[in-house]
Amino acid sequence: QEQLVESGGGVVQPGRSLRLSCAASGFTFNSHAMHWVRQAPGKGLEWVAVIWYDGSNKYYGDSVKGRFTISRDNSKNTLFLQMNSLRDEDTAIYYCARDRERISMILSYWGQGTLVTVSS
Amino acid sequence: SYVLTQPPSVSVAPGQTATITCGGDNIGGKNVHWYHQRPGQAPVLVVFDDSDRPPGIPERFSGSNSGNTATLTISWVEAGDEADYYCQVWDSSADHVFFGGGTKLTVL
């Protein structure tokens, strides 16, 4: 059974860093691009980043470009999001999601999310 | 930045048909995907590539896309369909995924 489990969320002060992880199981991890998507409290979905199935390409949303870094370890079936220079507006639930194919930009399965709260 | 415009809310009685639109500049030239999200839960893909359904999604969910508007249609609406619905595209010219603002479907 397919599963995505995010971890690493918590309360962090503005300007600090946090690293999120997403442990994948139940599918061939290295055959799918992976995404991070966030949702601020009471708001809609905002795409954060994507990484190709082999890690060869990475793209970012405009609001996180230059501050966040997506990466993956295919040997450990794990996706990461390194978040630096955090701001109040980065407060959100962060979801990892599996792409439907190697690279299709269709987010076919989502984890349950991890909450990040940026506050002093 | 590619803007996707959805109505904030749509209301429909059980058994009726719900139509949720997603407007964008020449969106008909892109592949549109739809997700629903029940309160407190993660989003779920319900339609991809304009009109295809993932396994397990009822035939009541259908989609179309032409010109400047993509549409998600839910036939024979049930109480369990009440959720927020989001459209999504990939803009290859910007290497960026865009979501619509979401539509809250209320089943009366």
Side-chain angles (χ1 to χ4, degrees), chain B residues 37-58:
Chain B
Q37 183 182 31
R38 298 187 175 96
Q41 297 188 20
V44 173
L45 178 69
V46 294
V47 166
F48 66 95
D49 288 348
D50 299 340
S51 59
D52 289 335
R53 283 183 307 278
I57 300 301

Side-chain angles (χ1 to χ4, degrees), chain A residues 35 37 39 43-47 50 52 59-62 95 100 104-108 110-112, chain B residues 1 33 35 37 40-45 48-49 86 88-90 94-101:
Chain A
H35 302 254
V37 176
Q39 187 170 35
K43 302 297 185 182
L45 302 175
E46 180 187 11
W47 178 74
V50 63
W52 261 215
Y59 299 110
Y60 298 90
D62 294 336
Y95 297 100
R100 186 172 180 271
S104 72
M105 301 306 158
I106 303 168
L107 286 68
S108 62
W110 300 56
Q112 289 303 307
Chain B
S1 182
H33 321 300
Y35 307 83
Q37 183 182 31
Q41 297 188 20
V44 173
L45 178 69
F48 66 95
D49 288 348
Y86 296 90
Q88 176 247 312
V89 301
W90 165 254
D95 292 327
H96 198 295
V97 168
F98 292 99
F99 285 99

Side-chain angles (χ1 to χ4, degrees), chain A residues 91-102:
Chain A
T91 294
I93 297 172
Y94 285 74
Y95 297 100
C96 67
R98 173 178 71 81
D99 199 284
R100 186 172 180 271
E101 300 170 4
R102 283 193 166 190

